[in-house]
Amino acid sequence: MSLQLLNKLAGNTQGDFRKFIDGFAGKPEPRIAWYPSAGEDFRALLYLSNGYSELNPATGKEPSPPDVFLFTDYYPWENSRFLDYKGIYTDDNTGISVVDIEELPGLQLPVLPELVQFPKGSKATNRSIFMNVMVYSEKLGAYQVPVIYCFAESTVFFRDILLLYQSKITHVIHVRYGGGLGGSGTASGVWILRALKLLGTEILISDNNYYWQTGDEFALTLCPILQEQAEPQFETIRILSSEKWSNHGDVSWNLVRFG
């Protein structure tokens, strides 16, 4: 359940995140986009927006956009664009900046050497924050997006948070998984294909770089339930050229189908 997950992350806090959650009382549960191994890549806030979908129609029926983004990365770097100052990204056509940040309860999740190259992490590791992020685009206009960033290794976060709280994740983003800014992982994220049914995912946005690495194999040991899961079939409804996102392969929007 989406609200069960968000309430877990909120804990006893009573700030903007609690107000955001309370805003769904009596409404359908929030739609969550999960971006594992996100690093400092906030492009998803552009490409998963209503405005982008309207300007770039899908070839099939596209699921409704997310209400909130959930980023995870254990974040081994000492400095950041968004924890240390508000500007995240800017060019001639686009600006992304933090409006405000609220600290959420810490996570206390392990960082396992089988999954990362720098298991000591950083001062950010195991923190959790809620941000309102302002996006300005010459083509899409200006709008705010709620973002949760949990500084945790994504495989462990899946096992100890998403699975445990029976989370519904409508969108999963798999772009430059494990590469981040400088590379610090041992997996390509191919294990996530086994997780999509468990998460109730409707659409996977992916650069399609899938190859089994030691970290992916370890994910199946860490989460044995993944060994029982079939990989889905996909219907591709949009393709974005590689250079417009990560230079790591064309990114496709894939409807998730089982059986």
Side-chain angles (χ1 to χ4, degrees):
M1 294 172 55
S2 303
L3 285 175
Q4 183 169 301
L5 168 64
L6 298 187
N7 279 311
K8 158 61 182 175
L9 297 176
N12 294 323
T13 58
Q14 297 297 321
D16 287 343
F17 189 36
R18 175 56 59 193
K19 293 176 184 176
F20 173 78
I21 295 171
D22 290 346
F24 287 92
K27 300 178 182 179
E29 294 218 346
R31 298 172 61 76
I32 300 174
W34 178 36
Y35 192 173
S37 190
E40 294 186 347
D41 178 15
F42 283 73
R43 295 177 185 89
L45 307 189
L46 294 162
Y47 294 134
L48 273 67
S49 67
N50 261 326
Y52 184 81
S53 294
E54 291 171 2
L55 289 177
N56 302 273
T59 59
K61 184 174 174 54
E62 185 172 8
S64 299
D67 297 304
V68 60
F69 287 79
L70 170 62
F71 288 10
T72 58
D73 199 315
Y74 82 107
Y75 214 88
W77 308 288
E78 288 300 325
N79 300 308
S80 77
R81 292 194 182 110
F82 56 93
L83 288 176
D84 303 315
Y85 57 96
K86 292 189 174 183
I88 296 174
Y89 177 82
T90 184
D91 62 23
D92 292 341
N93 303 308
T94 308
I96 302 176
S97 60
V98 176
V99 177
D100 50 59
I101 292 181
E102 177 185 358
E103 191 89 18
L104 302 178
L107 295 167
Q108 299 182 337
L109 298 176
V111 179
L112 303 176
E114 293 89 348
L115 295 168
V116 301
Q117 295 177 7
F118 307 107
K120 288 183 66 174
S122 73
K123 63 184 180 182
T125 305
N126 269 319
R127 289 175 65 188
S128 184
I129 60 174
F130 175 70
M131 300 182 286
N132 284 304
V133 177
M134 174 61 74
V135 177
Y136 170 78
S137 164
E138 187 174 285
K139 292 184 177 180
L140 304 179
Y143 53 95
Q144 284 196 38
V145 184
V147 178
I148 307 157
Y149 207 125
C150 294
F151 298 97
E153 193 284 317
S154 298
T155 316
V156 172
F157 186 86
F158 167 76
R159 181 193 67 174
D160 292 356
I161 303 293
L162 296 184
L163 270 185
L164 184 62
Y165 290 89
Q166 300 178 318
S167 307
K168 165 76 172 177
I169 303 294
T170 56
H171 302 63
V172 171
I173 303 157
H174 172 276
V175 174
R176 201 178 276 276
Y177 186 100
L181 299 177
S184 58
T186 65
S188 75
V190 64
W191 66 268
I192 289 173
L193 300 181
R194 303 279 187 96
L196 298 179
K197 187 172 184 179
L198 295 168
L199 295 172
T201 301
E202 300 170 12
I203 189 164
L204 172 70
I205 297 91
S206 176
D207 60 14
N208 302 299
N209 278 283
Y210 302 125
Y211 40 94
W212 286 92
Q213 294 183 262
T214 57
D216 297 293
E217 298 285 357
F218 184 74
L220 302 189
T221 301
L222 189 69
C223 311
I225 192 172
L226 293 175
Q227 300 175 28
E228 307 167 9
Q229 306 302 310
E231 295 183 9
Q233 297 177 330
F234 296 115
E235 176 190 345
T236 300
I237 60 171
R238 182 185 292 113
I239 297 177
L240 179 70
S241 60
S242 177
E243 67 272 11
K244 292 184 178 179
W245 195 319
S246 70
N247 288 311
H248 201 237
D250 292 349
V251 176
S252 57
W253 277 243
N254 305 294
L255 299 179
V256 177
R257 311 290 192 204
F258 289 96

